[in-house]
Amino acid sequence: MEGVMMKNKADYAVAVRTSSGEIEVTKDKQKYNRDTVNKIPLVRGVVAFVDSLVLGISTLMISASYFEEDDAKSKKDEVETSDDSKKREKDSRNKTKETAEMVVTITISSIIAILLFMLLPYGLSKLLTNWLDSPNLLALIEGILRVIIFVLYILLISRMEDIKRVFMYHGAEHKCINCIEHGLDLNVENVKKSSRFHKRCGTSFLMIVLIISIFIFMFVRFDNNLLQIGARLILVPVIAGISYEFLRIAGRYDNKFIDVLSAPGLWVQRLTTIEPEEDMIEVGITSVEAVFDWREFVDSVNSEK
């Protein structure tokens, strides 16, 4: 994805650097009011997790659509039509196609995630039952295998050139947020000096999920393998809710205890974020400015110092 997505409450914006070198911005608003849900601990974490998944895939599709348009224009000029009904019909077909693609993408991604991060580590840990008779130790080994598989997966995909660029834009996103949160004006020079690591990152969230799942699965045990697997799938929303609450706390407080608990997620961010180029930082700044009055925020931060 040649772009950055920024979200502020219900508003979000996707800024994309097109093949022409221009930065294009798409703004939208999440259609569902989450004010009530956001007041309920644990539940708000599950809703935020689902929202992030859907929003992430939809913004990836927005980014990809810019380059599909560029490809179409390079092949032939678009034929303009004054027939509004045909235009509306075309737009409707495109939206239906995008919705279908999103459903298919989420379904396939979910299946792969279940196979790779749930069933595979569970199956590998079961191979050790002939040598180990401690359920807690087996659950610990399963959790460690899950973390190892996750890290290896990140390492593997990070070798792809397209993914490297995604990770560079990810770095630009973090650096822009850190810049304004530390009371600095949002410009290229200040962003370049800011850290590419952030405690509230989605990567940290996934690591927290993996770590918390180790302890929860130690206490959830069934003799039947299908029940064991089913329990792991059912408990995913619970684990996501707990992880979200920790992430909120980590974002609010800055002390040694929080730093220790946040360390695994920040370490993995060394893999999922890469120092961005200046033109990527410009995209990040444009995305922030589309949904957030950073000047007012920076003034409030500096007034509290």
Side-chain angles (χ1 to χ4, degrees):
M1 185 183 84
E2 292 289 320
V4 175
M5 188 276 288
M6 289 287 180
K7 185 173 180 291
N8 180 28
K9 297 180 181 179
D11 298 315
Y12 66 91
V14 182
V16 177
R17 176 83 67 179
T18 65
S19 57
S20 65
E22 299 295 321
I23 300 177
E24 298 285 346
V25 180
T26 299
K27 291 178 60 177
D28 206 343
K29 184 185 293 285
Q30 287 188 300
K31 298 175 177 59
Y32 303 104
N33 190 323
R34 304 299 193 202
D35 292 342
T36 302
V37 173
N38 288 338
K39 297 177 182 178
I40 307 174
L42 299 182
V43 174
R44 60 192 173 196
V46 178
V47 174
F49 175 72
V50 175
D51 278 350
S52 297
L53 180 62
V54 174
L55 184 59
I57 292 176
S58 64
T59 52
L60 280 171
M61 294 173 64
I62 291 172
S63 174
S65 68
Y66 283 103
F67 297 96
E68 289 174 1
E69 291 174 5
D70 288 343
D71 289 341
K73 288 178 181 178
S74 65
K75 292 176 183 177
K76 62 178 181 179
D77 293 329
E78 284 189 287
V79 178
E80 295 185 359
T81 176
S82 59
D83 191 338
D84 291 339
S85 63
K86 287 184 179 180
K87 288 182 180 179
R88 287 194 297 269
E89 183 180 348
K90 182 180 178 181
D91 291 340
S92 178
R93 285 199 304 269
N94 288 338
K95 288 181 179 180
T96 302
K97 180 183 176 183
E98 289 175 1
T99 302
E101 288 176 348
M102 186 185 301
V103 171
V104 171
T105 302
I106 291 176
T107 301
I108 294 175
S109 301
S110 299
I111 292 172
I112 293 174
I114 290 171
L115 291 173
L116 196 58
F117 303 118
M118 284 290 180
L119 299 186
L120 180 59
Y122 177 74
L124 292 175
S125 68
K126 292 297 288 184
L127 295 176
L128 301 175
T129 53
N130 292 331
W131 297 275
L132 298 173
D133 57 0
S134 170
N136 286 340
L137 185 55
L138 286 170
L140 176 61
I141 292 172
E142 178 192 347
I144 293 173
L145 286 172
R146 189 175 291 113
V147 172
I148 291 172
I149 290 171
F150 175 70
V151 173
L152 289 176
Y153 172 78
I154 297 296
L155 282 170
L156 182 63
I157 65 172
S158 66
R159 293 180 174 274
M160 302 166 61
E161 287 301 319
D162 288 344
I163 298 300
K164 283 183 180 179
R165 292 191 64 80
V166 170
F167 287 170
M168 291 174 78
Y169 276 108
H170 190 198
E173 173 196 343
H174 283 191
K175 289 169 81 72
C176 286
I177 295 172
N178 280 321
C179 177
I180 58 178
E181 286 188 344
H182 286 82
L184 300 175
D185 285 350
L186 190 63
N187 56 53
V188 173
E189 288 305 314
N190 285 338
V191 172
K192 285 172 69 175
K193 294 183 293 185
S194 301
S195 172
R196 73 177 199 267
F197 309 119
H198 200 282
K199 290 179 181 178
R200 296 195 304 274
C201 172
T203 304
S204 292
F205 174 78
L206 290 176
M207 278 301 295
I208 295 167
V209 166
L210 294 176
I211 293 171
I212 290 177
S213 68
I214 295 175
F215 299 100
I216 289 182
F217 293 158
M218 280 184 176
F219 298 99
V220 179
R221 294 197 295 266
F222 297 95
D223 294 331
N224 186 285
N225 287 332
L226 289 178
L227 289 177
Q228 282 277 52
I229 294 171
R232 278 154 173 70
L233 297 178
I234 291 172
L235 286 171
V236 166
V238 178
I239 297 169
I242 296 172
S243 302
Y244 180 80
E245 296 304 321
F246 171 80
L247 212 62
R248 282 170 60 92
I249 295 172
R252 290 182 178 180
Y253 302 100
D254 189 13
N255 55 58
K256 293 295 183 181
F257 180 68
I258 293 295
D259 289 344
V260 170
L261 295 179
S262 301
L266 294 173
W267 182 84
V268 177
Q269 285 182 43
R270 295 181 181 277
L271 304 177
T272 62
T273 62
I274 299 175
E275 287 295 332
E277 298 169 355
E278 286 193 6
D279 61 341
M280 295 176 172
I281 291 174
E282 292 171 355
V283 173
I285 292 173
T286 303
S287 183
V288 172
E289 293 181 333
V291 293
F292 189 65
D293 184 356
W294 63 265
R295 292 175 179 84
E296 181 180 346
F297 180 83
V298 166
D299 288 342
S300 67
V301 170
N302 290 328
S303 65
E304 294 175 0
K305 291 182 178 180

PDB file of all heavy atoms in Angstrom, residues 33-51:
ATOM      1  N   ASN A  33     -22.250   4.292  15.433  1.00  0.00           N
ATOM      2  CA  ASN A  33     -21.903   5.034  16.643  1.00  0.00           C
ATOM      3  C   ASN A  33     -21.424   4.062  17.718  1.00  0.00           C
ATOM      4  O   ASN A  33     -22.161   3.175  18.151  1.00  0.00           O
ATOM      5  CB  ASN A  33     -23.135   5.808  17.138  1.00  0.00           C
ATOM      6  CG  ASN A  33     -22.775   6.782  18.244  1.00  0.00           C
ATOM      7  OD1 ASN A  33     -21.939   6.503  19.078  1.00  0.00           O
ATOM      8  ND2 ASN A  33     -23.429   7.934  18.238  1.00  0.00           N
ATOM      9  N   ARG A  34     -20.177   4.244  18.148  1.00  0.00           N
ATOM     10  CA  ARG A  34     -19.579   3.333  19.135  1.00  0.00           C
ATOM     11  C   ARG A  34     -19.495   3.967  20.529  1.00  0.00           C
ATOM     12  O   ARG A  34     -18.854   3.407  21.406  1.00  0.00           O
ATOM     13  CB  ARG A  34     -18.163   2.936  18.702  1.00  0.00           C
ATOM     14  CG  ARG A  34     -18.051   2.321  17.324  1.00  0.00           C
ATOM     15  CD  ARG A  34     -18.836   1.058  17.187  1.00  0.00           C
ATOM     16  NE  ARG A  34     -18.483   0.319  15.986  1.00  0.00           N
ATOM     17  CZ  ARG A  34     -19.268  -0.574  15.413  1.00  0.00           C
ATOM     18  NH1 ARG A  34     -20.457  -0.839  15.941  1.00  0.00           N
ATOM     19  NH2 ARG A  34     -18.880  -1.218  14.325  1.00  0.00           N
ATOM     20  N   ASP A  35     -20.131   5.107  20.744  1.00  0.00           N
ATOM     21  CA  ASP A  35     -19.986   5.818  22.016  1.00  0.00           C
ATOM     22  C   ASP A  35     -20.421   4.969  23.202  1.00  0.00           C
ATOM     23  O   ASP A  35     -19.752   4.941  24.242  1.00  0.00           O
ATOM     24  CB  ASP A  35     -20.792   7.124  21.993  1.00  0.00           C
ATOM     25  CG  ASP A  35     -20.201   8.142  21.025  1.00  0.00           C
ATOM     26  OD1 ASP A  35     -19.019   7.966  20.650  1.00  0.00           O
ATOM     27  OD2 ASP A  35     -20.897   9.089  20.653  1.00  0.00           O
ATOM     28  N   THR A  36     -21.532   4.272  23.066  1.00  0.00           N
ATOM     29  CA  THR A  36     -22.031   3.436  24.162  1.00  0.00           C
ATOM     30  C   THR A  36     -21.126   2.239  24.398  1.00  0.00           C
ATOM     31  O   THR A  36     -20.750   1.921  25.526  1.00  0.00           O
ATOM     32  CB  THR A  36     -23.462   2.948  23.865  1.00  0.00           C
ATOM     33  OG1 THR A  36     -24.319   4.085  23.661  1.00  0.00           O
ATOM     34  CG2 THR A  36     -23.999   2.126  25.025  1.00  0.00           C
ATOM     35  N   VAL A  37     -20.758   1.562  23.304  1.00  0.00           N
ATOM     36  CA  VAL A  37     -19.910   0.374  23.404  1.00  0.00           C
ATOM     37  C   VAL A  37     -18.546   0.720  23.987  1.00  0.00           C
ATOM     38  O   VAL A  37     -17.977  -0.051  24.775  1.00  0.00           O
ATOM     39  CB  VAL A  37     -19.740  -0.285  22.017  1.00  0.00           C
ATOM     40  CG1 VAL A  37     -18.728  -1.428  22.073  1.00  0.00           C
ATOM     41  CG2 VAL A  37     -21.080  -0.807  21.514  1.00  0.00           C
ATOM     42  N   ASN A  38     -18.019   1.882  23.625  1.00  0.00           N
ATOM     43  CA  ASN A  38     -16.687   2.276  24.073  1.00  0.00           C
ATOM     44  C   ASN A  38     -16.600   2.520  25.577  1.00  0.00           C
ATOM     45  O   ASN A  38     -15.495   2.699  26.111  1.00  0.00           O
ATOM     46  CB  ASN A  38     -16.230   3.533  23.329  1.00  0.00           C
ATOM     47  CG  ASN A  38     -15.879   3.245  21.880  1.00  0.00           C
ATOM     48  OD1 ASN A  38     -15.587   2.110  21.516  1.00  0.00           O
ATOM     49  ND2 ASN A  38     -15.916   4.272  21.045  1.00  0.00           N
ATOM     50  N   LYS A  39     -17.737   2.525  26.263  1.00  0.00           N
ATOM     51  CA  LYS A  39     -17.742   2.695  27.712  1.00  0.00           C
ATOM     52  C   LYS A  39     -17.742   1.356  28.450  1.00  0.00           C
ATOM     53  O   LYS A  39     -17.636   1.319  29.674  1.00  0.00           O
ATOM     54  CB  LYS A  39     -18.956   3.514  28.134  1.00  0.00           C
ATOM     55  CG  LYS A  39     -18.968   4.938  27.586  1.00  0.00           C
ATOM     56  CD  LYS A  39     -20.239   5.664  27.976  1.00  0.00           C
ATOM     57  CE  LYS A  39     -20.268   7.072  27.377  1.00  0.00           C
ATOM     58  NZ  LYS A  39     -21.534   7.779  27.709  1.00  0.00           N
ATOM     59  N   ILE A  40     -17.858   0.249  27.702  1.00  0.00           N
ATOM     60  CA  ILE A  40     -17.943  -1.074  28.320  1.00  0.00           C
ATOM     61  C   ILE A  40     -16.600  -1.778  28.199  1.00  0.00           C
ATOM     62  O   ILE A  40     -16.188  -2.150  27.098  1.00  0.00           O
ATOM     63  CB  ILE A  40     -19.039  -1.926  27.650  1.00  0.00           C
ATOM     64  CG1 ILE A  40     -20.371  -1.171  27.619  1.00  0.00           C
ATOM     65  CG2 ILE A  40     -19.199  -3.257  28.381  1.00  0.00           C
ATOM     66  CD1 ILE A  40     -21.457  -1.879  26.842  1.00  0.00           C
ATOM     67  N   PRO A  41     -15.890  -1.968  29.317  1.00  0.00           N
ATOM     68  CA  PRO A  41     -14.600  -2.672  29.265  1.00  0.00           C
ATOM     69  C   PRO A  41     -14.742  -4.070  28.669  1.00  0.00           C
ATOM     70  O   PRO A  41     -15.791  -4.708  28.787  1.00  0.00           O
ATOM     71  CB  PRO A  41     -14.193  -2.747  30.748  1.00  0.00           C
ATOM     72  CG  PRO A  41     -14.920  -1.619  31.395  1.00  0.00           C
ATOM     73  CD  PRO A  41     -16.229  -1.509  30.667  1.00  0.00           C
ATOM     74  N   LEU A  42     -13.693  -4.544  28.026  1.00  0.00           N
ATOM     75  CA  LEU A  42     -13.617  -5.842  27.350  1.00  0.00           C
ATOM     76  C   LEU A  42     -14.441  -5.877  26.061  1.00  0.00           C
ATOM     77  O   LEU A  42     -13.927  -6.230  25.003  1.00  0.00           O
ATOM     78  CB  LEU A  42     -14.048  -6.990  28.276  1.00  0.00           C
ATOM     79  CG  LEU A  42     -13.207  -7.172  29.543  1.00  0.00           C
ATOM     80  CD1 LEU A  42     -13.698  -8.372  30.340  1.00  0.00           C
ATOM     81  CD2 LEU A  42     -11.737  -7.356  29.211  1.00  0.00           C
ATOM     82  N   VAL A  43     -15.718  -5.484  26.157  1.00  0.00           N
ATOM     83  CA  VAL A  43     -16.566  -5.490  24.956  1.00  0.00           C
ATOM     84  C   VAL A  43     -16.021  -4.521  23.920  1.00  0.00           C
ATOM     85  O   VAL A  43     -15.982  -4.817  22.725  1.00  0.00           O
ATOM     86  CB  VAL A  43     -18.022  -5.120  25.309  1.00  0.00           C
ATOM     87  CG1 VAL A  43     -18.871  -4.982  24.043  1.00  0.00           C
ATOM     88  CG2 VAL A  43     -18.628  -6.180  26.223  1.00  0.00           C
ATOM     89  N   ARG A  44     -15.583  -3.345  24.377  1.00  0.00           N
ATOM     90  CA  ARG A  44     -15.063  -2.343  23.438  1.00  0.00           C
ATOM     91  C   ARG A  44     -13.814  -2.849  22.719  1.00  0.00           C
ATOM     92  O   ARG A  44     -13.558  -2.474  21.580  1.00  0.00           O
ATOM     93  CB  ARG A  44     -14.758  -1.042  24.167  1.00  0.00           C
ATOM     94  CG  ARG A  44     -13.720  -1.150  25.284  1.00  0.00           C
ATOM     95  CD  ARG A  44     -13.697   0.104  26.122  1.00  0.00           C
ATOM     96  NE  ARG A  44     -12.833  -0.027  27.290  1.00  0.00           N
ATOM     97  CZ  ARG A  44     -12.867   0.803  28.329  1.00  0.00           C
ATOM     98  NH1 ARG A  44     -13.726   1.809  28.333  1.00  0.00           N
ATOM     99  NH2 ARG A  44     -12.055   0.639  29.362  1.00  0.00           N
ATOM    100  N   GLY A  45     -13.058  -3.724  23.378  1.00  0.00           N
ATOM    101  CA  GLY A  45     -11.874  -4.292  22.745  1.00  0.00           C
ATOM    102  C   GLY A  45     -12.228  -5.217  21.600  1.00  0.00           C
ATOM    103  O   GLY A  45     -11.577  -5.206  20.550  1.00  0.00           O
ATOM    104  N   VAL A  46     -13.263  -6.033  21.785  1.00  0.00           N
ATOM    105  CA  VAL A  46     -13.714  -6.948  20.730  1.00  0.00           C
ATOM    106  C   VAL A  46     -14.224  -6.159  19.535  1.00  0.00           C
ATOM    107  O   VAL A  46     -13.880  -6.444  18.381  1.00  0.00           O
ATOM    108  CB  VAL A  46     -14.823  -7.880  21.262  1.00  0.00           C
ATOM    109  CG1 VAL A  46     -15.318  -8.799  20.152  1.00  0.00           C
ATOM    110  CG2 VAL A  46     -14.317  -8.698  22.441  1.00  0.00           C
ATOM    111  N   VAL A  47     -15.035  -5.122  19.822  1.00  0.00           N
ATOM    112  CA  VAL A  47     -15.592  -4.286  18.744  1.00  0.00           C
ATOM    113  C   VAL A  47     -14.476  -3.559  18.009  1.00  0.00           C
ATOM    114  O   VAL A  47     -14.471  -3.479  16.777  1.00  0.00           O
ATOM    115  CB  VAL A  47     -16.609  -3.277  19.316  1.00  0.00           C
ATOM    116  CG1 VAL A  47     -17.086  -2.314  18.228  1.00  0.00           C
ATOM    117  CG2 VAL A  47     -17.800  -4.011  19.924  1.00  0.00           C
ATOM    118  N   ALA A  48     -13.494  -3.043  18.764  1.00  0.00           N
ATOM    119  CA  ALA A  48     -12.364  -2.324  18.147  1.00  0.00           C
ATOM    120  C   ALA A  48     -11.550  -3.254  17.267  1.00  0.00           C
ATOM    121  O   ALA A  48     -11.070  -2.853  16.201  1.00  0.00           O
ATOM    122  CB  ALA A  48     -11.482  -1.715  19.228  1.00  0.00           C
ATOM    123  N   PHE A  49     -11.399  -4.510  17.710  1.00  0.00           N
ATOM    124  CA  PHE A  49     -10.643  -5.491  16.928  1.00  0.00           C
ATOM    125  C   PHE A  49     -11.317  -5.756  15.582  1.00  0.00           C
ATOM    126  O   PHE A  49     -10.670  -5.755  14.524  1.00  0.00           O
ATOM    127  CB  PHE A  49     -10.521  -6.789  17.722  1.00  0.00           C
ATOM    128  CG  PHE A  49      -9.851  -7.909  16.968  1.00  0.00           C
ATOM    129  CD1 PHE A  49      -8.492  -7.889  16.723  1.00  0.00           C
ATOM    130  CD2 PHE A  49     -10.596  -8.980  16.489  1.00  0.00           C
ATOM    131  CE1 PHE A  49      -7.875  -8.918  16.021  1.00  0.00           C
ATOM    132  CE2 PHE A  49      -9.993 -10.007  15.791  1.00  0.00           C
ATOM    133  CZ  PHE A  49      -8.625  -9.984  15.556  1.00  0.00           C
ATOM    134  N   VAL A  50     -12.640  -5.967  15.612  1.00  0.00           N
ATOM    135  CA  VAL A  50     -13.394  -6.220  14.373  1.00  0.00           C
ATOM    136  C   VAL A  50     -13.373  -4.983  13.486  1.00  0.00           C
ATOM    137  O   VAL A  50     -13.161  -5.072  12.269  1.00  0.00           O
ATOM    138  CB  VAL A  50     -14.843  -6.638  14.688  1.00  0.00           C
ATOM    139  CG1 VAL A  50     -15.655  -6.780  13.402  1.00  0.00           C
ATOM    140  CG2 VAL A  50     -14.863  -7.943  15.468  1.00  0.00           C
ATOM    141  N   ASP A  51     -13.578  -3.810  14.098  1.00  0.00           N
ATOM    142  CA  ASP A  51     -13.551  -2.558  13.336  1.00  0.00           C
ATOM    143  C   ASP A  51     -12.208  -2.367  12.638  1.00  0.00           C
ATOM    144  O   ASP A  51     -12.152  -1.968  11.470  1.00  0.00           O
ATOM    145  CB  ASP A  51     -13.814  -1.365  14.262  1.00  0.00           C
ATOM    146  CG  ASP A  51     -15.295  -1.157  14.525  1.00  0.00           C
ATOM    147  OD1 ASP A  51     -16.110  -1.804  13.846  1.00  0.00           O
ATOM    148  OD2 ASP A  51     -15.630  -0.351  15.413  1.00  0.00           O
TER     149      ASP A  51
END
